[in-house]
Amino acid sequence: RKEVEQDPGPFNVPEGATVAFNCTYSNSASQSFFWYRQDCRKEPKLLMSVYSSGNEDGRFTAQLNRASQYISLLIRDSKLSDSATYLCVAFNQAGTALIFGKGTTLSVSS
Amino acid sequence: NAGVTQTPKFRVLKTGQSMTLLCAQDMNHEYMYWYRQDPGMGLRLIHYSVGEGTTAKGEVPDGYNVSRLKKQNFLLGLESAAPSQTSVYFCASSDTGYGYTFGSGTRLTVV
């Protein structure tokens, strides 16, 4: 089983829609999780961290469910500029480096 | 403020040739990483370093070697390039171990 698995996508939504991405991880010892964003042919950039209590940053909400080893990202009121690939990220078994999921592609249309 | 700089940005190699990819960071970060990204495979960790003079293997280390002789530089070497090593290579650095700053990538084609 790959350490981090994501919804395959792609997700095609209209502007203003709410969309949710899911991710599961295998390393039960991992303490930290993240969502990165990657635009086409660009480098990934940190979008937000994921905390046990959940966290919100504007239109973005991230949730962690340790019991189910499940992470989610919710985007409300989607904008055209949200079109990108979203990468779910956890630490490797050794806790020394980040392991990235394959990514979920979001396309927001007008 | 350059951040993380990768050189070269593009390269075409013939099978069997060798080359070195250079990653340089000016943020005094302890941690540095090399990933490769292929269509449908996502980012896969090749090698990483938790400090000057240290290196460790990641998920897909075969066919690559690395060195971290200076804190600011992390070199990725291909001794005998193979078509399977055609990929986009990303270097990243971090001071916290999780807030990575990535370089803009090196697009390598092996023919």
Side-chain angles (χ1 to χ4, degrees):
Chain A
R1 178 185 174 189
K2 189 164 170 52
E3 293 190 52
V4 178
E5 296 196 53
Q6 296 185 239
D7 281 349
F11 286 69
N12 299 301
V13 302
E15 275 186 292
T18 295
V19 62
F21 306 139
N22 303 316
C23 166
T24 56
Y25 61 93
S26 61
N27 179 16
S28 59
S30 185
Q31 295 296 310
S32 303
F33 306 89
F34 313 91
W35 284 99
Y36 273 69
R37 170 189 168 132
Q38 185 174 25
D39 293 295
C40 187
R41 299 179 70 82
K42 299 281 190 179
E43 69 272 22
K45 294 184 179 178
L46 178 64
L47 178 66
M48 61 195 305
S49 301
V50 186
Y51 305 121
S52 295
S53 55
N55 56 307
E56 187 173 313
D57 182 3
R59 298 181 293 107
F60 298 82
T61 300
Q63 297 276 355
L64 168 64
N65 183 323
R66 287 194 181 276
S68 301
Q69 294 184 207
Y70 171 99
I71 302 161
S72 65
L73 177 67
L74 182 76
I75 304 176
R76 292 180 299 277
D77 189 22
S78 297
K79 310 292 185 190
L80 294 175
S81 57
D82 294 334
S83 296
T85 297
Y86 292 84
L87 306 171
C88 178
V89 187
F91 273 102
N92 62 356
Q93 290 286 346
T96 51
L98 293 181
I99 299 299
F100 290 74
K102 293 182 181 181
T104 300
T105 299
L106 172 66
S107 178
V108 181
S109 56
S110 58
Chain B
N1 188 359
V4 177
T5 302
Q6 291 184 233
T7 53
K9 295 192 184 305
F10 302 92
R11 184 73 185 269
V12 178
L13 281 181
K14 293 183 179 179
T15 298
Q17 286 185 318
S18 63
M19 78 164 294
T20 300
L21 281 65
L22 171 63
C23 177
Q25 52 98 0
D26 61 2
M27 298 169 285
N28 201 35
H29 285 174
E30 287 293 334
Y31 308 91
M32 296 188 76
Y33 312 86
W34 277 107
Y35 290 85
R36 61 177 288 175
Q37 187 171 35
D38 305 293
M41 297 298 293
L43 282 155
R44 292 183 291 169
L45 181 65
I46 304 172
H47 286 281
Y48 63 99
S49 169
V50 299
E52 181 179 320
T54 74
T55 62
K57 293 180 180 179
E59 301 171 274
V60 289
D62 294 343
Y64 305 95
N65 56 75
V66 287
S67 64
R68 183 101 182 267
L69 298 179
K70 293 183 178 180
K71 186 176 184 179
Q72 63 268 34
N73 296 335
F74 195 28
L75 279 63
L76 178 70
L78 286 72
E79 289 187 350
S80 180
S84 61
Q85 294 178 304
T86 293
S87 189
V88 179
Y89 292 85
F90 286 105
C91 175
S93 73
S94 172
D95 59 349
T96 59
Y98 61 85
Y100 287 13
T101 300
F102 280 88
S104 58
T106 294
R107 284 163 176 75
L108 176 66
T109 301
V110 183
V111 298

